[in-house]
């Protein structure tokens, strides 16, 4: 897989080990060749968006301080802009595109809860927030309001959808009880 | 709420909800055009410098680079009001100002090419303080802006655009006053509204006369309306993408647009310019700086008799359209304070820092926040309850105001006292308010204080909108309205209004993309004009389409059109609902019906929001914590309760309430650098620090709108900072007159440092 960014790198002759990175994204396996598909300085966020086309993952700060790029890695919420793809060999990644039921195409209950509560305004922070919420609910199906707020503390939402987000997640937490 | 309507007033899923929660909503950085290049900007390390020499040879020769532009070869397009800033210039005027542009095959190549540009600067003296900048002998920023003071007014808002606020006789007013106070107060923390998505544009020239722009904008058509004259009247087609937050900042989007368009022209290929967060902090739209030296006179009962002063407004290195913000600010302050005698003289100044521009609050928040500490002083002297003072002084039927166009308007909207009273009741104001400088609760070193702020804007019917509504025989409707979505849910609200008129299920009504090629004229989604201005155009278009539909059905059913009604794609006789036909029977299957609507500016109405705040101050550490907010408004008729609630919550975001506690852009006045230009050092409110928030949304019908509604979103943040500052002052029993009240200021006021 040749990407735009690779051309720039190749011209500078970055040293590349011939090594494959295996990634599973939303259940789909990818083999990425270092130096070809992935450069050593590519972040996971970059690879997901630019190389693999999972643009549902957003980048706002690109410096690990806003939560927009949150994805699940082996079930844990991580900031994909702070991880290098070359360090993610063998990892299972879930992005916002992976939440819908693969068979039925139906929405994940979290997605439905966000729709029902209009828990977004511009929606740019939303994929990251939903991924963190999923990690939380997977671990703790009935979190308290305080648990939710603490879990989401690293997510920047400038429109201030916080209250409706908490309400949306709580509506599921109550079902989990 | 929504009792008499099918859709209006009900919480319905946003039209784009599914796209947003599945990650399919397409934002500007999710888009790639074939052959697209990446544009990058070399930014100035100096606050003021002349470019003595710039060597582009190495960058031009770098593989993958397709265009390099400097002031020498860039198009001569001009920005600002009046035009004073070339798109690229031989002088740079703030740290982060554009020096050169590069377009390359990849982002990385473009970044690398920037490093190959060799620039020799001659540093020039810089000025950062607005009053210093306006003094003789100050370093001069622009040849076209002598003395660093912008000419007043802006022709596009009218020949008589409000340039100063002069009315009555201030001397007489002061002679009638019982209490007169004078002070300097400032709201000049120049915070960054900082939408999560950085600004971005993709430009592509179809031919030398046709430019297409894909834009992350709050008001896609404004990109065309503003850029077209600047670009020599070429045809510009603008397509609005899903916009990741704007809060005013991404309206006209001129500078990124001009950079992308210039590079695309030079390279002959599409170019994307997308800022990094660092660029977003250093070179994109801060709030205006605002400082007043003013004198106010009031009677003991809270009647304001005179207000006189100088209002300094700092727009940074460029005025995007700050003259309009000054005019609107002067207008809005008359909504806040009914006073027969004014003399408020604004001075709009440029300084060597990143430009201010359009931000939610639009001059009004900046002026009112600066005035509020002064008003607080006289209220205190007269021992007036601020809620009573606001209620007495806020715009009401029988009063009027000069609006931005310099023309007097008699106010013909609703009385907002109910919203004020209801807010006070829910907050428990009567119990919590202990008088000026008195905390509500003292708990060891911690003290709780309360405060209140109020704001309104007569922009809800500003400027023009046009819309079409197309009906098709399969009982569907399409709204043609050039409205982009940056979070206010307006595209869905417009569909609801059309669905209500046509009595169709909501999923049968859609809206065109915000594309200027296909849609009729739209000013843009600015201020709170979506509901009344844009909405009324859509409603009129839907009514027109409905009328045509019933006229087509009448002969088929043998009934007069006015005796017919329609529901869910059937047309029936009102007095005999059994007598009905489907739309396609009336229309035939090879026809559509298009209704047209237009809205003309109406400045005679305003909205209103009152915010009550409860703040706890730790007198040992100086930390202020916002505990509780009650926001109350009267919007005539709710269109969607959850969307409106979200707008009210927005008072905590977009450089709003928190500009009274911790939000500020910290400018190093020795080097001109912004010290907190990242999302860790720039402070923002997190999920873990949410105050208790209660929203009150009353519905007193406003007759001007078919569904009796007015918009209110834009003003949500504006009353907040004043309320919080008042609460802090009451908590500590001392007076802080500038924002934000950071721990050092609080401890200083308490005499602890
Ligand atoms: S984009 Fe990764 S944390 Fe902000
Ligand atoms: S919804 Fe816009 S930033 Fe969260």
């Amino acid at each position: 897989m040749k990407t735009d960014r690779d051309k720039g790198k190749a011209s500078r002759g970055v040293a590349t080990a011939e090594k494959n990175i295996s990634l599973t994204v939303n259940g789909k396996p990818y083999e990425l060749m270092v130096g070809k598909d992935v450069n050593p300085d590519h972040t996971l966020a970059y690879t997901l968006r630019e190389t693999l086309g999972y643009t549902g993952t957003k980048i706002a700060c690109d410096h690990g301080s806003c939560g927009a790029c949150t994805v699940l890695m082996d079930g844990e919420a991580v900031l994909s802009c702070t991880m290098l793809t070359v360090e993610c060999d063998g990892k299972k990644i879930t992005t916002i595109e992976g939440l819908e039921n693969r068979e039925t195409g139906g929405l994940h209950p979290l997605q439905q809860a966000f729709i029902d509560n209009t828990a977004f305004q511009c929606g740019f922070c939303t994929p990251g927030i939903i991924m963190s919420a999923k990690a939380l609910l997977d671990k703790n199906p009935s979190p308290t309001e305080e648990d939710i707020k603490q879990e989401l503390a690293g997510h920047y939402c400038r429109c201030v959808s916080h209250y409706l987000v908490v309400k949306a997640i709580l509506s599921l937490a109550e079902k989990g009880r | 709420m929504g009792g008499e309507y099918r859709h209006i007033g009900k919480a319905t899923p946003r039209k784009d909800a599914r796209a947003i929660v599945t990650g399919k909503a397409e934002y500007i950085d999710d888009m790639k055009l074939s052959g697209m290049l990446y544009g990058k900007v070399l930014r100035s390390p100096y606050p003021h410098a002349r470019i003595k020499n710039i060597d582009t040879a190495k960058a031009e020769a770098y593989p993958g680079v397709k265009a390099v532009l400097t002031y020498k070869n860039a198009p001569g397009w001009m920005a600002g009001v009046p035009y004073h800033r070339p798109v690229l210039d031989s002088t740079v005027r703030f740290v982060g100002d554009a020096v050169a542009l590069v377009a390359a095959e990849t982002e990385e190549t473009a970044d690398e090419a920037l490093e190959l540009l060799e620039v020799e600067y001659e540093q020039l003296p810089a000025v950062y303080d607005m009053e210093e900048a306006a003094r003789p002998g100050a370093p001069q920023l622009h040849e076209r802006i002598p003395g660093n003071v912008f000419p007043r007014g802006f022709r596009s808002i009218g020949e008589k655009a409000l340039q100063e606020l002069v009315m009555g006789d201030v001397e007489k007013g002061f002679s009638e006053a019982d209490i007169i106070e004078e002070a300097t107060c400032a709201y000049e923390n120049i915070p960054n509204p900082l939408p999560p998505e950085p600004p971005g544009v993709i430009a592509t020239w179809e031919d030398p006369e046709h430019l297409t722009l894909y834009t992350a904008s709050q008001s896609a058509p404004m990109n065309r309306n503003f850029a077209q004259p600047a670009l020599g009247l070429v045809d510009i087609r603008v397509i609005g993408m899903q916009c990741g937050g704007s809060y005013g900042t991404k309206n006209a989007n001129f500078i990124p647009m001009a950079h992308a368009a210039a590079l695309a022209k030079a390279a002959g290929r599409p170019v994307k310019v997308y800022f990094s967060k660092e660029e977003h902090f250093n070179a994109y739209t801060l709030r205006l700086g605002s400082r007043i030296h003013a004198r106010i006179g009031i009677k003991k009962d809270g009647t304001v008799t005179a207000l006189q002063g100088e209002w300094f407004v700092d727009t940074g290195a460029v005025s995007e359209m700050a003259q309009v913000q000054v005019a609107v600010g002067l207008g809005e302050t008359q909504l806040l304070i009914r006073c027969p005698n004014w003399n408020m003289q604004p001075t709009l100044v440029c300084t060597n820092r990143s430009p201010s521009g359009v931000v939610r609050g639009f001059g009004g928040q900046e002026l009112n926040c600066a005035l509020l500490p002064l008003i607080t002083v006289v209220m205190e002297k007269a021992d007036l309850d601020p809620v009573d003072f606001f209620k007495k002084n806020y715009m009401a039927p029988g009063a009027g105001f000069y609006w931005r166009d310099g023309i007097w308007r008699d106010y013909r909207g609703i009385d907002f006292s109910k919203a004020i009273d209801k807010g006070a009741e829910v907050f428990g104001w009567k119990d919590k308010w202990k008088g000026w400088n008195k905390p509500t609760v003292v708990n060891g070193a911690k003290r709780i204080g309360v405060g209140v702020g109020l704001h309104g804007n007569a922009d809800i019917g500003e400027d023009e909108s046009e819309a079409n509504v197309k009906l098709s025989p399969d009982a569907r409707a399409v709204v043609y309205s050039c409205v982009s979505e940056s979070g206010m849910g307006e595209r869905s609200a417009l569909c609801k209004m059309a669905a209500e008129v046509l009595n169709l299920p909501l999923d049968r009504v859609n809206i065109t993309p915000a594309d200027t090629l296909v849609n009729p004229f739209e000013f843009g989604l600015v201020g709170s004009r979506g509901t009344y201005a844009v909405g009324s155009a859509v409603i009129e278009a839907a009514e027109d389409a409905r009328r045509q539909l019933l006229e087509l059905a009448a002969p088929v059913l043998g009934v007069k059109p006015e005796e017919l009604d329609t529901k869910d794609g059937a047309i029936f006789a009102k007095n005999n609902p059994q007598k009905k036909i489907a739309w396609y029977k009336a229309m035939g299957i090879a026809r559509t019906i298009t209704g047209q609507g237009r809205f003309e500016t109406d400045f005679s109405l305003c909205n209103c929001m009152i915010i009550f705040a409860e703040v706890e101050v730790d007198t040992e550490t100086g930390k202020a914590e916002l505990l509780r907010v009650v926001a109350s408004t009267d919007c005539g008729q709710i269109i969607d309760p959850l969307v409106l609630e979200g707008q009210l919550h927005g008072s905590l975001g977009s450089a709003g309430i928190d500009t009274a506690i911790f939000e500020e852009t910290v400018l190093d006045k020795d080097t001109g650098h912004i010290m907190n230009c990242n999302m860790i050092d720039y402070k923002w409110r997190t999920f873990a620090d949410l105050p208790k928030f209660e929203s009150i949304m009353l519905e007193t019908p406003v007759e001007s709108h078919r569904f009796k509604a007015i918009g209110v979103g834009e003003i949500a943040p504006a009353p907040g900072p004043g309320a919080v500052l008042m609460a802090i002052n009451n908590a500590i029993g001392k007076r802080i007159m500038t924002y934000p009240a950071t721990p050092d200021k609080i401890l200083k006021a308490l005499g602890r440092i």
Side-chain angles (χ1 to χ4, degrees), chain A residues 3-12 39 41-42 46 49-51 54-68 96-100 104-107 110-127 129-130 145-146 148-167 169, chain B residues 11-14 16-18 20-27 29-32 36 38 62-63 105-109 111-112 191-198 242-247 272 274 276-278 360 485-489 640 642-643 645-647 649-656 663 678-680 682-688 690-693:
Chain A
T3 70
D4 280 350
R5 184 170 276 207
D6 291 323
K7 290 180 211 156
K9 276 287 178 193
S11 67
R12 285 200 308 170
N39 285 335
D41 64 348
H42 283 180
Y46 180 90
R49 286 181 53 83
E50 304 295 325
T51 312
Y54 294 101
T55 52
T57 300
K58 298 299 171 216
I59 299 177
C61 71
D62 212 9
H63 278 92
S65 42
C66 77
I96 189 77
E97 291 95 338
L99 287 193
E100 283 152 278
T104 64
L107 293 175
L110 256 172
Q111 293 172 311
Q112 193 58 51
F114 270 61
I115 293 179
D116 295 343
N117 290 280
T118 310
F120 47 80
Q121 291 177 45
C122 74
F124 201 79
C125 66
T126 310
I129 289 178
I130 292 182
E145 185 170 331
E146 204 40 45
I148 296 169
K149 288 180 179 170
Q150 288 304 330
E151 183 75 17
L152 297 181
H155 287 270
Y156 179 72
C157 174
R158 193 58 155 174
C159 299
V160 187
S161 296
H162 305 64
Y163 295 92
L164 295 175
V165 163
V166 171
K167 198 170 143 208
I169 301 171
Chain B
T12 53
R14 275 236 322 245
D16 51 357
R18 192 175 174 115
I20 284 177
V21 303
T22 56
K24 293 193 183 85
E26 202 179 18
Y27 298 83
D29 198 34
D30 303 337
M31 176 162 198
K32 280 195 183 105
M36 187 179 87
Y38 296 82
Y62 195 62
E105 297 281 0
T106 73
E107 249 182 290
E108 217 158 27
T109 309
D111 277 331
E112 286 157 7
N192 194 322
L194 204 71
E197 174 199 49
Q242 190 93 22
C243 176
S246 169
Y247 328 117
K272 179 196 281 182
Y274 188 60
S276 68
K277 206 34 102 180
E278 199 188 344
R360 191 176 186 177
E485 182 59 70
S486 63
M488 296 84 105
D640 188 296
L642 291 175
V643 169
E645 209 182 329
Q647 288 291 297
H649 294 156
S651 60
L652 295 176
S654 56
E663 247 201 81
N678 61 67
M679 291 189 68
I680 290 176
Y682 190 95
K683 296 299 170 206
W684 43 275
R685 188 168 287 280
T686 76
F687 272 88
L690 293 180
K692 189 167 189 289
F693 198 110

Side-chain angles (χ1 to χ4, degrees), chain A residues 1-175:
Chain A
M1 198 177 302
K2 192 94 181 150
T3 70
D4 280 350
R5 184 170 276 207
D6 291 323
K7 290 180 211 156
K9 276 287 178 193
S11 67
R12 285 200 308 170
V14 169
T16 55
E18 284 293 308
K19 184 180 177 304
N20 283 354
I21 302 288
S22 309
L23 270 189
T24 307
V25 183
N26 303 335
K28 195 169 164 194
Y30 291 92
E31 288 290 312
L32 302 170
M33 194 175 282
V34 178
K36 187 164 164 282
D37 305 320
V38 177
N39 285 335
D41 64 348
H42 283 180
T43 63
L44 178 60
Y46 180 90
T47 299
L48 287 171
R49 286 181 53 83
E50 304 295 325
T51 312
L52 304 177
Y54 294 101
T55 52
T57 300
K58 298 299 171 216
I59 299 177
C61 71
D62 212 9
H63 278 92
S65 42
C66 77
C69 62
T70 304
V71 298
L72 303 188
M73 180 182 280
D74 296 337
E76 296 286 331
V78 297
L79 300 174
S80 63
C81 77
T82 62
M83 328 212 57
L84 294 174
T85 308
V86 290
E87 294 171 341
C88 298
D89 188 27
K91 302 292 188 193
K92 284 197 179 60
I93 311 293
T94 309
T95 71
I96 189 77
E97 291 95 338
L99 287 193
E100 283 152 278
N101 184 309
R102 251 168 261 150
E103 270 104 66
T104 64
L107 293 175
H108 186 278
L110 256 172
Q111 293 172 311
Q112 193 58 51
F114 270 61
I115 293 179
D116 295 343
N117 290 280
T118 310
F120 47 80
Q121 291 177 45
C122 74
F124 201 79
C125 66
T126 310
I129 289 178
I130 292 182
M131 296 321 287
S132 279
K134 169 141 188 355
L136 171 67
L137 291 175
D138 285 350
K139 263 181 280 176
N140 174 6
S142 48
T144 63
E145 185 170 331
E146 204 40 45
D147 294 338
I148 296 169
K149 288 180 179 170
Q150 288 304 330
E151 183 75 17
L152 297 181
H155 287 270
Y156 179 72
C157 174
R158 193 58 155 174
C159 299
V160 187
S161 296
H162 305 64
Y163 295 92
L164 295 175
V165 163
V166 171
K167 198 170 143 208
I169 301 171
L170 264 183
S171 74
L172 296 179
E174 272 145 23
K175 281 183 202 148

